[in-house]
Amino acid sequence: MERFAANRALKITVVPMGRLAEPVMVIDDFLADPQALVAAARASDWRELPPGGYPGRRAGLPRDYVRCVLQRLDGPIRKTLLRRPSRLDTFDCSFSMVTRAPADLAPLQRVPHIDVANAGRVAILHYLCGPQFGGTAFFRQDATGLEQIRPAEKPRYLAARAQGLEALGPDNRYPDADTPGYERTGFTEARFNRLVAYRSFTLHSGIVEDPAILTDDPATGRLTANFFVDYAEGET
């Protein structure tokens, strides 16, 4: 028997975000035994990340869990998020934990972001923590009206972002509904064993409701499993 298996009867909810109704997949109760994945996280070798990128720690994921996620979600992702003939090309994945105190955040960590300006990359986020840790929000950039950033749009997005950084005040820490220069267009709440998938070129940010409860203990902290999956055009 596989150590990690998805529940057989998965209910996939598609939530539209923003003016373009960008689809976000939400799946509750993804793993049959999510505590086994938490146990794997507790036994992992974690590394602190350098300032400026992900605000916390990362560790490797179990291979059988990675295989479970990619095999189970490949069809729904191609059908729901990509809407064109596509094949899985490459991926990167890890356990992740937000641990950085708000006062220690770099400026770019205080505003929404995209992972890459590529409509073929999909982010998969598996929450292994509860709603007290916030969730994931999606945004529109005020100056440009952009909600997704394609390569041709990246220069004006970056120029507006640079101007917006100058407007940050001392109270702007982790991104939220009050972050200057951005309007929140939607939100998915963290929920234990909830999986969320969306295209990575969509402006988004992790929402940290209460930074005081952040910890580096996988059993009690803001633990997630994160995937970045690149799809290439063409049939599988």
Side-chain angles (χ1 to χ4, degrees):
M1 180 178 177
E2 290 283 346
R3 182 170 50 145
F4 301 107
N7 279 308
R8 291 186 178 182
L10 292 178
K11 180 181 178 181
I12 301 176
T13 301
V14 180
V15 182
M17 297 290 179
R19 291 173 180 160
L20 300 178
E22 176 68 17
V24 174
M25 291 170 49
V26 180
I27 307 172
D28 286 329
D29 303 317
F30 179 75
L31 280 184
D33 183 9
Q35 291 295 346
L37 190 57
V38 175
R42 296 185 70 182
S44 295
D45 293 325
W46 289 81
R47 66 187 186 280
E48 292 287 342
L49 298 183
Y54 183 83
R57 312 171 77 207
R58 282 195 165 137
L61 289 171
R63 290 186 178 182
D64 45 350
Y65 165 71
V66 172
R67 183 169 57 250
C68 166
V69 171
L70 295 180
Q71 289 180 349
R72 185 63 182 84
L73 294 185
D74 181 57
I77 283 174
R78 287 189 285 114
K79 178 181 179 180
T80 304
L81 301 185
L82 302 178
R83 306 171 185 172
R84 65 186 182 191
S86 304
R87 56 180 175 79
L88 195 155
D89 188 15
T90 61
F91 66 91
D92 183 36
C93 57
S94 64
F95 281 122
S96 300
M97 289 186 65
V98 173
T99 59
R100 197 171 299 279
D104 297 332
L105 294 175
L108 287 178
Q109 293 171 322
R110 302 171 190 259
V111 297
H113 66 279
I114 61 169
D115 300 319
V116 65
N118 177 3
R121 173 172 286 191
V122 172
I124 302 171
L125 179 63
H126 189 181
Y127 280 106
L128 299 166
C129 60
Q132 68 272 26
F133 286 102
T136 302
F138 299 87
F139 294 84
R140 178 185 306 116
Q141 191 179 50
D142 290 341
T144 62
L146 293 171
E147 297 175 1
Q148 288 88 30
I149 315 300
R150 293 173 174 81
E153 298 158 337
K154 194 171 181 180
R156 63 191 182 106
Y157 155 70
L158 291 176
R161 186 182 71 177
Q163 291 182 346
L165 289 175
E166 296 178 359
L168 289 175
D171 294 332
N172 295 122
R173 303 301 177 89
Y174 279 101
D176 57 24
D178 296 323
T179 299
Y182 298 86
E183 178 183 354
R184 200 163 94 167
T185 61
F187 176 70
T188 58
E189 183 182 62
R191 185 178 297 175
F192 186 74
N193 203 22
R194 166 175 282 181
L195 189 146
V196 179
Y198 51 90
R199 293 195 289 177
S200 290
F201 73 159
T202 306
L203 274 171
H204 65 279
S205 177
I207 300 299
V208 179
E209 296 285 4
D210 183 4
I213 65 174
L214 295 176
T215 172
D216 60 5
D217 182 356
T220 58
R222 196 181 191 279
L223 175 64
T224 60
N226 299 55
F227 291 73
F228 300 106
V229 186
D230 289 305
Y231 282 83
E233 291 190 29
E235 299 287 352
T236 56

